[in-house]
Amino acid sequence: MPRKGLKPDKLTFGALINALCMELKIKEAFKLKKDMCKIYKVPSSTFIYGVMINGLCRIGELTLAFRLKDELITKKLVLNSAIYNSLISGLFKAGRRDDAFGVIEEMDSNGIKPDTTTYNIMIDEFGKAKDFESAYRVLKEMPDKGCKPNVITYNMLIGMLCKDGRLSEASDLLEDMPRQGCKPDVVAYRTLFDGLCGGSQSEKAAFILDEMIFKGYVPHSASIHRFVSGLCQGDNMKLLFRVLNSLAKGNAIDENTWLMVVSRIYQEDGPQVSIASQLLDSLLL
């Protein structure tokens, strides 16, 4: 750039330092920041401090991260919620919960309101600790604090509830999302579907599958194969046919799954074979 008569500015260095921090090349980012100030005489910015603090928190270098935050304040740059969120997340990951809550208090005292990301970090931490009572409390408090839960908020909770075997609560949460002005996405449905399948709740999984297909979503192909495989090993042929019908509507059955189903159906004796053949013929049309 200098050879072409162009002077690198904050945006130039911001893009480069951000890329280095994304790749966790923090040492190189520090060198470039130093060159930026000393060689190119370009002052740093809140954005540059933010991406560097985030990178340091990701690798657990919290002392350096807080040192940069103090340097930012000394240079009279503006702190923002993104910088605080990086510090809070890093402290939680390091198991320093009390310090994380201390930063949240500092954030509030400095007139920076916690945002949805702040609350999502807290919910994620409580969920990992299986403290669902506290996670629900935070979820309930968010609207009162002027923060609306987003689809990430709900997806995290649904995933953690499914992982803990609390499938009924996860189902209730997904059902409550539209009432809270948050539309469930494909991740929410896939997470719950996989949870129900893993919990051997085939009827409920089939119900969620119907809803997914209706909304234009489909499970992962591996999830479909596992679910259908489980049904093929059971004796509830009615449920198997219902699931096949739903999957056919969503064009979500691969060749291997079809072959597995055909093999299972033709193990049956009596009228089941005729019914199954008619069903398969109708689905293939």
Side-chain angles (χ1 to χ4, degrees), residues 81 85 104 107-108 112-119 145 147:
S81 60
N85 289 338
I104 293 170
M107 183 180 183
D108 195 45
I112 301 173
K113 290 186 176 181
D115 58 17
T116 301
T117 301
T118 315
Y119 289 109
K145 301 287 187 179
C147 253

Side-chain angles (χ1 to χ4, degrees), residues 212-261:
M212 287 180 74
I213 298 295
F214 177 76
K215 295 193 174 184
Y217 303 141
V218 294
H220 290 293
S221 57
S223 299
I224 292 171
H225 192 82
R226 283 193 300 268
F227 184 43
V228 174
S229 176
L231 293 175
C232 285
Q233 293 171 28
D235 55 7
N236 192 341
M237 298 296 288
K238 184 177 179 180
L239 181 60
L240 174 59
F241 297 158
R242 175 183 151 195
V243 167
L244 288 175
N245 190 45
S246 292
L247 291 171
K249 288 178 182 177
N251 194 27
I253 311 179
D254 61 26
E255 182 180 354
N256 289 334
T257 304
W258 271 121
L259 291 173
M260 176 176 61
V261 171

Side-chain angles (χ1 to χ4, degrees), residues 164-184:
D164 200 50
R166 303 167 71 130
L167 299 173
S168 179
E169 290 180 49
S171 298
D172 291 343
L173 200 60
L174 183 135
E175 188 177 334
D176 192 52
M177 285 177 69
R179 289 195 290 268
Q180 302 302 324
C182 189
K183 181 183 176 183

Side-chain angles (χ1 to χ4, degrees), residues 95-249:
R96 295 166 58 180
R97 180 183 285 199
D98 290 341
D99 290 335
F101 285 119
V103 171
I104 293 170
E105 290 177 6
E106 177 191 324
M107 183 180 183
D108 195 45
S109 66
N110 284 339
I112 301 173
K113 290 186 176 181
D115 58 17
T116 301
T117 301
T118 315
Y119 289 109
N120 283 351
I121 292 168
M122 294 170 65
I123 288 172
D124 183 53
E125 172 65 19
F126 286 132
K128 287 176 180 176
K130 298 187 179 182
D131 185 0
F132 291 105
E133 183 178 345
S134 295
Y136 282 129
R137 187 183 68 249
V138 172
L139 180 67
K140 189 176 179 180
E141 286 176 357
M142 287 178 72
D144 298 333
K145 301 287 187 179
C147 253
K148 186 178 179 182
N150 59 18
V151 70
I152 296 173
T153 314
Y154 285 101
N155 287 350
M156 283 194 311
L157 263 175
I158 289 169
M160 290 183 288
L161 288 167
C162 287
K163 188 175 180 179
D164 200 50
R166 303 167 71 130
L167 299 173
S168 179
E169 290 180 49
S171 298
D172 291 343
L173 200 60
L174 183 135
E175 188 177 334
D176 192 52
M177 285 177 69
R179 289 195 290 268
Q180 302 302 324
C182 189
K183 181 183 176 183
D185 64 1
V186 65
V187 175
Y189 278 105
R190 283 177 171 176
T191 302
L192 182 57
F193 177 77
D194 287 347
L196 292 168
C197 291
S200 301
Q201 297 194 18
S202 299
E203 289 282 355
K204 291 183 178 179
F207 177 82
I208 289 296
L209 177 63
D210 286 339
E211 194 171 321
M212 287 180 74
I213 298 295
F214 177 76
K215 295 193 174 184
Y217 303 141
V218 294
H220 290 293
S221 57
S223 299
I224 292 171
H225 192 82
R226 283 193 300 268
F227 184 43
V228 174
S229 176
L231 293 175
C232 285
Q233 293 171 28
D235 55 7
N236 192 341
M237 298 296 288
K238 184 177 179 180
L239 181 60
L240 174 59
F241 297 158
R242 175 183 151 195
V243 167
L244 288 175
N245 190 45
S246 292
L247 291 171
K249 288 178 182 177

